[in-house]
Structure formats: structure tokens, C-alpha cells
Amino acid sequence: MQVKNLAVQARLRSQWESIDLGTVLARKYWLPLFLVWLLPAAILLGTLAWLFPGSPGWSMFAVWWLKPVFDRLPLYIISQALFGSPVSVLAALKQFFTQNRHDWLAWITLRRLSPTRSFDMPVTVLEQSSGAARNSRIGVLHRKHSSASTWLTLTGVHLEGFLLIAAFILIYLFIPEQVATNINWQPIFRGDTLELEWVSNVLYLFIMAAVAPFYIVSGFCLYIGRRIELEGWDIEIQFRNLAERHQREQQPRQRRKAGGSSAASLLLLFAIAFGSLIAAPEIKADSLETPQQAQQNIDEILAGEDFHQVEQINGWRLKDTRSEEQKIPEWLIKFIEWLFNRSPDDGDSSDFSLGPIIARLIEILLWVGVITGLIYLGWRHHDAILKSLRWQRKPKQKAIAPETLFGLDVRQSSLPDDVCAEVQRLWQAGEKRASLGLLYRATLSHLIEDFQFHFGDHLTESECAQLVYRRQREPSENLPPVTAPLSQFVQHLTTDWQQLAYAHRNPVKTRMDALCQEWREVFSNDH
């Protein structure tokens, strides 16, 4: 994906703005997205209708279950169109198996009912990530926008249901009243009419294909918005524009330099031509060796002592062992014998029943599930279990308080006696960054010293504020509690500091006065 070819403006958007953008793009490219979703699904439904004409419900369920397979082609088309490489419907259909080759099994099994499918699908289709790399990437993306993608899925499910009901009502409205009174509706509601069920399946297929572009493109725009926020695409595009403008300005200067260097090039050409007129010394043929003489010299050199040195080294080393053919483990043989309920003394038996084998496999899976669930519950609630058993962990050693955070000195000794007075003095002097920076680092210093927060260098300002909020929501017995006003003040101050430090947006004077007043209230016992 070339960021410079992005067809929409690269800027920070909220999750709902990203969904609105996806809706607009889906309306623009609705027909090709509708067709590439509908055609493969219709082929599958037609094949199932031909193979299993008496099972319309299961056939429709199979098409519905394979939605992640059909979602990949619309995602492929909109991703290419968004980055300036539009793809036709026919070209996209030719890419059906190519786009579904990567990580397809997980999407129709473990991840099929994922409520964030439209948000997570680009990680698989566009980034080609899987395994630990995919889990790490999903964890970063889900820090924001995951709730919006869940609501998007719920909205899509309800929209399909409403449209299906509306379609049935519309069909009923077109039936004349005289005909409707003579229709026996009970077989229809009981599902005894296969033809009507197949018709409803086709109708539901068209509804799914009509809703799919809005669902897929909105989730993709959530993904794009999250990447713009994480990777700073808007900043990168601005730098690219600056570089291109600088390059255009440098072209006339380079042409002027090229004209000035033409005279030097002409002089160099005359020097080379004059040098070529000087006769080169003739090489005598007698000084050259014949191939036989050259081979003799090579043999003499190879026969010398330099190529026949022998070095003897004594020491211990591991004995070389040849790998033997691995035999089938004994435990595996016993397991298979137990599974088939046959011992080595039993002869060949003509009676073979698949039911007991499946029952034993299900029993094994159930026991594995129970044991895994117990282990998970024990680990998930191990703190409550240890607390109920009155086992206390050993207190951790007090961590060394950092001296600097985010380039700010957070030592208590670096703070003035009256923090708010110094903040207001700096603000009046026009040093707004230093003023707000003093208030922010004084807050961090008090949180570290008085409330025993361990802020590491790997944390961001927002993560530090999140730790304060988390302690306020979940207080600990061994740590000082955080009040709601303190947590709210830290959130406000962090937001204002980020706006000033990174966006260069100064808060207004009334805002600074309010922050100083809040600081005095939450740290009244410390200043």
C-alpha cells in the first residue's frame, strides 16, 4: 500500500467518522462489491440446491457460515481502489482462490463468530499476518475501535433481519386480497413447502450481498483510521509533499550547474584525446609465458611446503552417533489399542463399529475441555483464591523512583516550594510550555512519591493516566487509594499537556487557573 496514493484525506478520525467514511465509499463502489460477493455465493448455493434439493435450510446455513470467504473479494477491491489501483469485477473474481489461500481455515472455524470480523480481516488479507504476529497486531489495533466494530457487526445482523422481514411484507402486500384469503398459510409457516424455502433462501442471499459492502468497507475504514493514528500517515504525506516541493525548487539550480560544468567537460575531452596520441610502449612477445610453462610454475607452487602443512590437534569431542530409525512410541500403540478396544491377543475381527470410537474421542475431548477450563478458571481467579485461603504474597521491594519521565525532571528537589505560584508566574511571562510542564511534572512527582506509582520509561502519558484511573476503580490494600477528583484531574492535565507538547495548542488562561485550583485541592496536604 502506497500511502501517497491514498484516495481519501489522511487525518485522525473518530471511530464513528471512520464508519461514516466507509458508508460513503460503499455507496460509491456498491455495484462491483455487490457482484463479487454475490456471484461466488450464488454458485455455491446453486450447487448445494442441485446436490441436496431436500435440505434448503442446511444449504443456506452453509452459505451463511462461509461469509468470511466471500468477504475477501470486496475487501480486496476497496483496498485497491482506496490506494489508486482500481480492480474490475472480472479481475477480482479471478483472484478468488488467491485471496482465500491464506489463513482460511481459522476464519471459518475459530474466528467465524468473531464480533470484530470486519475490523480484523484486513490484518489477514492485506498484511498476510498469522500466528503470534497476527495476535500481536490485533492486540495493538483493539486498543481502540474494537467496540465500534462490535456494534457494526450487531447492526449488520439486525439490518439483514429487518430487510428480510420487510421483503416478505412487501411481497404480501402485492398479493390480491381475494387470493390471500384462499391461501393455506399453515404449511408455509411450518416449512412444508420446499419451493418457498428455496425462494426465501435466494431472497436472503441477495439481502446479504446488498448489506455486505457497507459492513466490509466500514470495518476496513476503521482499520485504516487506526493505522493512520498508529503510523502517522498524515505526517508522512506532509513530509512527502515538502520533499517533492523542495525537489521541484532544486531542478532549475541543477540545470544552471550543468551549464557551468560543460566547459570543464570539454577541456577534459581535449586532454583525453591528446593523451591518446602518445605512443604506448610495445610489449615484447618474448616476455610472455607459454601455457606449458605457466602450468609447470603452478605445479611447483602447489608442491611447496605452504600447501602441505599438517597440524595435529588433541582434545575431547562428542562421539558421532548415527540416528536410528524412530520407532512408534509404546504409549501411542497402547492408546490406539484402547481406542479400538482391541488387544494384541485378539485376532482379526470382522465386526467393526465406528460409534464406540467416536464416543471415546468425544470423552477424551470432554475431559481435556474440563481440565483446561479448571486450569483457566484457577489462573483467572488465582488472586481471589489466594486471598480466600489467606495466603499473602511477599511484599515486593520498593522500586527506585525515576528522576526523569518524558524528558521532564520529576524529582521532588527540582520543584519550587509553591508550585501553583510559579506556574502562574511563568504563564504571565509568556512561557506557556514551561508553565504547564512544571504543573505536569509536579503532578507526576507527587504521584510517584506520595501514591507509590511506578511509571517506567516504556509508558506513554496516556498509559500513566490510565494507571491512575485503574487504581481509582480497583483500589489495592497495599497502595494508597486514589480519589475520583485526583483521577479526573490527572486525565484533564494529561490531555492538555499532550495538546501543548505535540499539537502546540496552548490552553486558555481560564483553563490554567482551573487546573491550578484543582491541583491545590487534590494535593492540599502536600504543597
Side-chain angles (χ1 to χ4, degrees):
M1 294 186 296
Q2 297 293 332
V3 178
K4 62 180 180 181
N5 299 329
L6 192 62
V8 297
Q9 183 182 2
R11 65 176 181 86
L12 295 179
R13 293 180 174 88
S14 66
Q15 50 192 4
W16 310 117
E17 285 181 307
S18 299
I19 293 178
D20 289 341
L21 175 62
T23 304
V24 174
L25 291 176
R27 291 171 57 188
K28 181 178 180 181
Y29 298 98
W30 182 84
L31 183 58
L33 299 179
F34 169 77
L35 292 176
V36 297
W37 199 100
L38 176 65
L39 293 178
I43 292 174
L44 176 61
L45 183 62
T47 304
L48 293 175
W50 178 61
L51 295 175
F52 309 101
S55 303
W58 286 108
S59 301
M60 196 64 230
F61 176 76
V63 175
W64 176 84
W65 188 264
L66 293 178
K67 268 188 174 184
V69 176
F70 306 132
D71 289 349
R72 296 199 180 196
L73 284 188
L75 178 59
Y76 171 69
I77 286 183
I78 195 61
S79 64
Q80 296 296 317
L82 197 61
F83 288 92
S85 302
V87 180
S88 63
V89 174
L90 183 59
L93 290 174
K94 292 179 180 179
Q95 294 287 325
F96 179 78
F97 293 102
T98 302
Q99 294 299 323
N100 284 283
R101 187 177 303 167
H102 181 71
D103 210 11
W104 60 272
L105 183 60
W107 277 105
I108 62 175
T109 53
L110 300 177
R111 306 176 196 150
R112 173 56 188 91
L113 301 178
S114 172
T116 59
R117 188 177 80 240
S118 62
F119 186 42
D120 301 342
M121 183 71 75
V123 179
T124 300
V125 177
L126 305 181
E127 300 184 18
Q128 298 289 308
S129 298
S130 60
R134 178 190 176 277
N135 295 334
S136 177
R137 184 66 169 167
I138 291 295
V140 174
L141 294 176
H142 277 203
R143 293 179 183 177
K144 284 186 177 180
H145 298 355
S146 60
S147 60
S149 61
T150 302
W151 282 109
L152 178 63
T153 302
L154 294 175
T155 303
V157 171
H158 286 82
L159 184 60
E160 288 180 354
F162 293 153
L163 290 178
L164 183 61
I165 296 173
F168 284 136
I169 294 175
L170 182 63
I171 294 173
Y172 175 76
L173 292 177
F174 277 97
I175 299 175
E177 185 178 356
Q178 296 80 4
V179 178
T181 55
N182 297 325
I183 296 177
N184 186 10
W185 297 99
Q186 292 184 358
I188 297 177
F189 289 117
R190 288 199 304 263
D192 295 339
T193 56
L194 290 178
E195 295 80 4
L196 185 59
E197 288 193 43
W198 282 113
V199 171
S200 63
N201 287 348
V202 173
L203 185 61
Y204 185 49
L205 178 66
F206 275 90
I207 291 175
M208 288 192 298
V211 175
F214 296 95
Y215 175 69
I216 296 168
V217 180
S218 298
F220 176 65
C221 288
L222 281 173
Y223 165 80
I224 291 296
R226 185 70 175 124
R227 288 198 61 176
I228 291 175
E229 181 179 1
L230 290 173
E231 302 173 15
W233 286 4
D234 50 343
I235 301 175
E236 180 180 352
I237 291 176
Q238 293 295 331
F239 277 117
R240 287 178 182 271
N241 294 335
L242 289 175
E244 291 176 358
R245 186 175 65 183
H246 179 72
Q247 186 176 5
R248 289 194 300 267
E249 293 176 354
Q250 291 296 325
Q251 288 179 355
R253 300 179 183 177
Q254 293 177 358
R255 285 196 292 269
R256 289 195 296 269
K257 291 182 180 178
S261 61
S262 59
S265 302
L266 185 61
L267 292 176
L268 180 61
L269 180 62
F270 278 117
I272 294 173
F274 179 75
S276 62
L277 298 176
I278 301 176
E282 298 181 357
I283 301 175
K284 296 182 179 181
D286 297 339
S287 62
L288 298 177
E289 294 181 349
T290 61
Q292 292 78 10
Q293 293 175 347
Q295 184 63 38
Q296 184 179 358
N297 292 334
I298 291 173
D299 294 338
E300 291 177 358
I301 294 174
L302 292 176
E305 295 181 356
D306 295 336
F307 290 92
H308 292 82
Q309 294 182 1
V310 179
E311 183 179 1
Q312 184 176 359
I313 299 175
N314 296 327
W316 293 93
R317 65 181 178 85
L318 294 175
K319 182 179 180 181
D320 295 333
T321 57
R322 296 183 179 179
S323 59
E324 299 179 354
E325 296 182 357
Q326 295 183 354
K327 298 180 180 180
I328 300 177
E330 187 67 22
W331 64 268
L332 183 58
I333 297 175
K334 293 182 178 179
F335 173 74
I336 296 175
E337 291 176 352
W338 173 83
L339 185 63
F340 285 87
N341 197 17
R342 296 174 62 185
S343 61
D345 298 335
D346 296 338
D348 294 336
S349 177
S350 59
D351 297 334
F352 179 78
S353 178
L354 191 61
I357 298 176
I358 297 177
R360 290 189 178 92
L361 289 176
I362 294 175
E363 180 183 358
I364 294 173
L365 293 177
L366 288 176
W367 278 113
V368 171
V370 170
I371 295 173
T372 304
L374 291 176
I375 294 175
Y376 171 76
L377 291 176
W379 172 252
R380 178 69 175 81
H381 303 284
H382 68 281
D383 290 332
I385 295 174
L386 293 178
K387 185 177 180 180
S388 63
L389 295 176
R390 297 182 180 179
W391 291 351
Q392 296 181 355
R393 298 177 179 176
K394 295 181 180 180
K396 298 181 179 179
Q397 295 181 355
K398 186 177 180 181
I400 301 176
E403 295 184 355
T404 59
L405 279 177
F406 320 118
L408 303 175
D409 191 351
V410 295
R411 296 174 301 172
Q412 287 278 0
S413 59
S414 65
L415 301 177
D417 295 334
D418 193 341
V419 173
C420 291
E422 182 66 16
V423 167
Q424 292 176 348
R425 187 191 67 79
L426 292 173
W427 184 271
Q428 294 294 336
E431 300 180 11
K432 296 180 172 56
R433 185 184 181 91
S435 175
L436 189 59
L438 173 59
L439 189 64
Y440 183 62
R441 66 188 182 93
T443 302
L444 292 176
S445 178
H446 279 274
L447 291 175
I448 294 172
E449 295 292 337
D450 302 337
F451 294 88
Q452 300 178 14
F453 278 97
H454 305 298
F455 298 141
D457 295 334
H458 63 285
L459 298 177
T460 63
E461 294 94 334
S462 299
E463 290 173 338
C464 293
Q466 188 66 24
L467 290 177
V468 177
Y469 175 74
R470 189 177 303 171
R471 188 184 292 184
Q472 184 255 324
R473 293 292 302 273
E474 301 175 359
S476 176
E477 297 180 357
N478 301 326
L479 296 174
V482 172
T483 61
L486 174 58
S487 176
Q488 186 177 6
F489 167 73
V490 172
Q491 305 294 328
H492 294 167
L493 179 60
T494 301
T495 302
D496 292 337
W497 169 248
Q498 289 176 330
Q499 292 287 335
L500 176 61
Y502 303 114
H504 305 287
R505 298 176 182 175
N506 298 324
V508 297
K509 180 65 169 59
T510 56
R511 179 64 176 172
M512 282 299 300
D513 294 339
L515 289 175
C516 290
Q517 182 62 31
E518 291 182 18
W519 196 92
R520 290 189 180 97
E521 293 175 358
V522 297
F523 296 116
S524 58
N525 298 326
D526 300 315
H527 73 280

